[in-house]
Amino acid sequence: MNVHEIVQLTALEAAPRLLGKIISRITEDGEIRCRIIETESYGGVEDKGSHAYGNRRTARTEMMFRQGGYAYIYLIYGMYHCLNVVTGEENDPQAVLIRAVEPLTPKDEQLMLKHRPAATRQLKNISNGPGKLCQALSIDKSCNGLHLLASGGTLRLEDTPEDIFYDIESGPRINIDYAQEYAAKPWRFYIKNHPYISAKNNTPLPYILERPPIL
């Protein structure tokens, strides 16, 4: 499934399918390319973990109500930005949080380290968390509303040259205790045993994506 199709799905359907897809970020130092390793689904007005729960439509959440394919960037703890991919249909608030990425090449790694030098002790710490990856990719509120599928854009979502199928696990989302019964939903997805996963899951659940038929 390509990225143009994925962003038209609900967040819950899109989140595991974005694993392995590529983020391209054009910075003043050059292009950085990285692979998505971990995601979280925040979808629909009924999700108590979502910023748009109860159809909450504010200046902050307005981007979630767009047609799938846009970037939704917000600030947490007053200092860290988070990158989300808006998915689904217009006026149905759906977004997938990108929790972890890995650089594709040593060049990408060096550019990410330049933007996040505190990560040098362990290379996985460059981007194994939503705030970290935004620092490493120089993503801030100026990226909010960018179309991620636009040709030549400074922040893009791209397919890999060939389909690669990963072993995927799921578990509860991180730091959303306020979401009551929705806090335990297994709506965090990640590539099994990948070193860039942001947090360990004590009771992982396998997640099986449907594969296209072999013709």
Side-chain angles (χ1 to χ4, degrees), residues 94-127:
Q94 306 273 339
V96 175
L97 173 65
I98 307 302
R99 281 202 59 90
V101 300
E102 68 166 339
L104 291 186
T105 69
K107 178 184 175 183
D108 297 313
E109 183 180 275
Q110 289 306 308
L111 286 176
M112 292 168 75
L113 282 169
K114 185 174 182 179
H115 292 117
R116 195 172 185 279
T120 52
R121 289 187 179 180
Q122 285 188 299
L123 289 177
K124 67 180 182 180
N125 287 334
I126 301 173
S127 51

Side-chain angles (χ1 to χ4, degrees), residues 4 67 73 167:
H4 290 80
Q67 181 75 28
I73 312 293
D167 288 332

Side-chain angles (χ1 to χ4, degrees), residues 108-196:
D108 297 313
E109 183 180 275
Q110 289 306 308
L111 286 176
M112 292 168 75
L113 282 169
K114 185 174 182 179
H115 292 117
R116 195 172 185 279
T120 52
R121 289 187 179 180
Q122 285 188 299
L123 289 177
K124 67 180 182 180
N125 287 334
I126 301 173
S127 51
N128 62 345
K132 295 176 185 179
L133 73 88
C134 280
Q135 288 180 333
L137 297 177
S138 193
I139 292 173
D140 56 24
K141 284 295 290 292
S142 68
C143 298
N144 191 45
L146 292 180
H147 199 295
L148 298 173
L149 305 181
S151 176
T154 58
L155 180 62
R156 299 192 307 276
L157 186 61
E158 300 177 351
D159 291 305
T160 53
E162 65 283 326
D163 287 331
I164 303 173
F165 294 96
Y166 299 95
D167 288 332
I168 297 173
E169 290 183 339
S170 67
R173 295 172 291 183
I174 306 297
N175 293 332
I176 60 163
D177 294 342
Y178 58 84
Q180 299 175 4
E181 72 271 22
Y182 279 80
K185 299 282 187 183
W187 290 353
R188 178 168 70 102
F189 304 91
Y190 52 88
I191 296 174
K192 183 179 179 180
N193 295 328
H194 198 284
Y196 278 69

